[in-house]
């Protein structure tokens, strides 16, 4: 049986994300609560994350400008964009593009506690 805690490896796979943060604890709490990301402490003491399916990991970094304008835009896949929008707002994020702007795709965009703009994507039924 395959261990789902080990990411799939291969040439071209996205493997690590460094996200700008103003307050690492606030950012890690936001992503843990809204998306169920596993938060852990690396050997060097930095707070890191694994996404909800254990395929992509990363960390939050101080001293970098937040990605406040969509250029390179990362989307997080969710079961329900509508429910996730509610959770984003409940946990201190802001919706910067409501559902429906990319129709027929089911998407929205939010700003996290540091101001990074991230997309939400819902797989069609």
């Amino acid at each position: 049986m395959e261990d789902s805690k080990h990411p799939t490896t291969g040439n071209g796979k996205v493997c690590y994300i460094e996200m700008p943060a103003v307050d690492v604890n606030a950012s890690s709490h936001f992503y843990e609560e809204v998306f169920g990301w596993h938060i852990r402490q690396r050997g060097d003491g930095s707070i890191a994350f694994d996404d909800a399916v254990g395929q992509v990991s990363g960390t939050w970094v101080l001293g970098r400008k937040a990605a406040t304008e969509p250029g390179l835009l990362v989307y997080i896949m969710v079961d329900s964009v509508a429910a996730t929008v509610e959770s984003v707002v409940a946990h201190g994020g802001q919706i910067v593009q409501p559902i429906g702007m990319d129709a027929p795709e089911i998407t929205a965009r939010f700003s996290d506690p540091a101001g990074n703009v991230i997309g939400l994507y819902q797989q069609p039924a």
Side-chain angles (χ1 to χ4, degrees):
M1 176 182 282
E2 182 179 332
D3 183 353
S4 64
K5 293 295 181 187
H6 295 296
T8 304
T9 59
N11 185 55
K13 182 193 184 315
V14 174
C15 68
Y16 200 77
I17 298 172
E18 292 182 340
M19 297 179 68
V22 174
D23 177 334
V24 172
N25 289 324
S27 289
S28 64
H29 181 74
F30 175 84
Y31 284 93
E32 181 179 38
E33 292 298 316
V34 175
F35 299 105
W37 288 6
H38 172 73
I39 307 303
R40 58 187 166 78
Q41 190 168 21
R42 295 189 325 200
D44 66 2
S46 298
I47 295 176
F49 65 84
D50 298 305
D51 71 358
V53 296
Q55 290 288 310
V56 178
S57 63
T59 192
W60 290 275
V61 293
L62 300 172
R64 287 194 192 158
K65 183 180 174 192
T68 59
E69 296 288 327
L72 173 65
L73 185 59
V74 174
Y75 281 81
I76 299 172
M77 186 174 285
V78 297
D79 292 334
S80 167
V81 170
T84 304
V85 162
E86 290 180 14
S87 185
V88 163
V89 172
H91 289 92
Q94 296 181 337
I95 302 307
V96 297
Q97 179 179 298
I99 298 170
M101 300 299 292
D102 295 321
E105 301 294 338
I106 304 169
T107 67
R109 295 180 192 165
F110 70 92
S111 178
D112 73 6
N116 296 298
V117 173
I118 308 287
L120 300 172
Y121 174 79
Q122 179 180 320
Q123 185 76 20

